[in-house]
Amino acid sequence: MLIKKRESWHLSENEVTDEAAYLSRRNFIRSAGAAIGASSIVGATGALQAASERSLLPLQYAKTAFDPGETLTPYEAVTQYNNYYEFGTGKGDPAEHAWRLEPKPWSVTVEGLVDKPGTYAFEDLVDMKNLEERIYRLRCVEAWSMVIPWIGVPLSSILRKLGPKPEAKYVAFETLADRNQMRGLRSFFKVLDWPYVEGLRMDEAMNDLTFMAVGLYGKELPNQNGAPLRLVVPWKYGFKSIKSIVNIRFTDTMPKTSWGRSAPSEYGFYSNVNPNVDHPRWSQRSERRIGEFGKRQTLMFNGYEEQVAHLYKDMDLKRNY
Ligand SMILES: Nc1nc2c(c(=O)[nH]1)N[C@H]1C(S)=C(S)[C@@H](COP(=O)(O)O)O[C@H]1N2
Ligand SMILES: [Mo]
């Protein structure tokens, strides 16, 4: 059973190639002006309809210098090729089923080693008057990547408001776990323990790159991307970027993480993108940029070495994977 679970998550290199090719083909068809619905090779027509169930408000935001200057991954790929296991393990499942998620109103519980614990409304946590855009690479541990224009606030701006105590060495996050809204939680095969949990060391959390996204491509976050607020940690594998957060906890011990719990020898706490440390069952040397043909060399810390290498100065990154 465990093997089966892993198969759905760990796309083989061929499957990744096929998906990427599928999306390129789709985009080609789109740019050629053909109607998406008219194409029978498009398996995600239903997803497309579902994705439009909730109308996404445009956001006011400031442009920033956070931009790798690489071609943006098309909106369709960003919002239809997803990992959000609470809605199913297929890449198209989140776009198809996440319309059931209700991101408004939303509140987040804050607890642990912090000056101002309590329950916060989304609006009290995220300063919607000070949103910024950050274009980041997203590298999934499955060896595919995207370039996404996120809208949000630095995580540090939220954490400072809450006042972590000096003893707090880590911050832990939890995703909503609601069987009514999330069909993956009702699935007979339990893929992960719910709720989905993740964590960061406090210095990682306070790093300028660490972002709380509330939107992408100029609008509110689509449900499948983790509405209404999700973490974006661009130098770590995508699974660290936890979606639809309902709990933030400050702690002095290293928090458990969902993937670490399910396979401790495969998914470490740090999970920094590192081309020199392979996953036990596949190489991390290269990756496929969704929408592109061919491969790219994977960059150390996903290309953010200058900003984050100092966080791991005296650490053995093979042991601390
Ligand atoms: N709650 C939750 N967060 C999650 C996941 C998930 O299954 N559940 N998948 C992770 C993985 S593996 C990746 S690659 C990214 C994908 O984000 P995206 O779908 O917005 O591109 O979300 C991460 N956050
Ligand atoms: Mo991922």
Side-chain angles (χ1 to χ4, degrees), residues 50-318:
S52 64
E53 296 265 358
R54 188 164 79 89
S55 61
L56 303 168
L57 297 178
L59 299 170
Q60 300 289 334
Y61 59 92
K63 294 259 178 203
T64 66
F66 293 91
D67 181 354
E70 296 166 15
T71 306
L72 299 185
T73 303
Y75 184 80
E76 288 73 16
V78 173
T79 58
Q80 292 176 45
Y81 186 88
N82 299 101
N83 278 330
Y84 197 165
Y85 275 24
E86 286 85 336
F87 294 101
T89 55
K91 290 289 182 284
D93 286 342
E96 190 173 345
H97 302 294
W99 59 270
R100 281 191 183 275
L101 177 71
E102 290 166 18
K104 287 178 191 179
W106 193 266
S107 57
V108 179
T109 313
V110 175
E111 56 187 15
L113 303 170
V114 63
D115 291 337
K116 297 176 200 157
T119 300
Y120 290 78
F122 170 88
E123 295 75 16
D124 297 331
L125 223 47
V126 180
D127 182 358
M128 294 297 278
K129 295 222 150 47
N130 272 304
L131 297 179
E132 44 184 275
E133 181 185 64
R134 300 218 181 165
I135 303 173
Y136 283 156
R137 300 180 199 91
L138 173 80
R139 169 62 155 81
C140 179
V141 73
E142 297 165 323
W144 54 262
S145 63
M146 298 191 186
V147 179
I148 304 178
W150 302 104
I151 314 282
V153 295
L155 178 66
S156 63
S157 73
I158 295 179
L159 300 192
R160 279 206 191 91
K161 227 182 280 190
L162 304 174
K165 291 189 187 297
E167 311 90 85
K169 295 284 174 279
Y170 299 90
V171 54
F173 302 89
E174 234 177 74
T175 296
L176 175 75
D178 180 350
R179 291 170 61 90
N180 294 321
Q181 297 174 64
M182 300 167 141
R183 75 201 308 266
L185 275 61
R186 305 193 295 267
S187 160
F188 178 74
F189 294 101
K190 198 162 166 212
V191 190
L192 293 171
D193 281 335
W194 314 112
Y196 192 101
V197 290
E198 257 303 337
L200 295 170
R201 216 169 56 190
M202 196 55 77
D203 58 348
E204 298 177 320
M206 298 303 284
N207 185 275
D208 195 28
L209 283 179
T210 311
F211 204 55
M212 188 70 92
V214 300
L216 56 81
Y217 268 105
K219 292 187 289 187
E220 293 175 300
L221 274 182
N223 289 351
Q224 60 269 33
N225 294 94
L229 79 171
R230 60 87 57 86
L231 212 57
V232 181
V233 194
W235 74 94
K236 293 178 178 284
Y237 292 117
F239 61 84
K240 298 291 292 183
S241 293
I242 181 172
K243 294 177 169 179
S244 307
I245 295 166
V246 293
N247 182 274
I248 301 178
R249 182 171 52 88
F250 297 86
T251 166
D252 56 2
T253 51
M254 188 180 276
K256 293 274 182 234
T257 65
S258 285
W259 282 100
R261 223 178 227 157
S262 82
S265 61
E266 299 185 13
Y267 307 101
F269 177 80
Y270 288 98
S271 292
N272 294 315
V273 175
N274 189 336
N276 309 314
V277 178
D278 289 336
H279 184 274
R281 282 175 292 111
W282 64 85
S283 164
Q284 294 290 19
R285 278 234 151 257
S286 65
E287 67 199 54
R288 184 170 300 279
R289 180 68 50 86
I290 297 295
E292 279 181 9
F293 296 99
K295 292 237 177 143
R296 287 177 173 254
Q297 291 307 112
T298 290
L299 304 173
M300 188 63 200
F301 295 116
N302 205 22
Y304 301 100
E305 191 165 12
E306 212 175 292
Q307 293 95 320
V308 300
H310 68 274
L311 297 170
Y312 313 102
K313 195 162 41 90
D314 298 317
M315 284 174 61
D316 177 346
L317 296 175
K318 282 210 164 67

Side-chain angles (χ1 to χ4, degrees), residues 21-42:
Y22 155 82
L23 284 160
S24 316
R25 195 163 65 225
R26 274 271 309 283
N27 292 328
F28 173 75
I29 291 164
R30 264 172 79 82
S31 56
I36 271 199
S39 163
S40 60
I41 53 164
V42 176

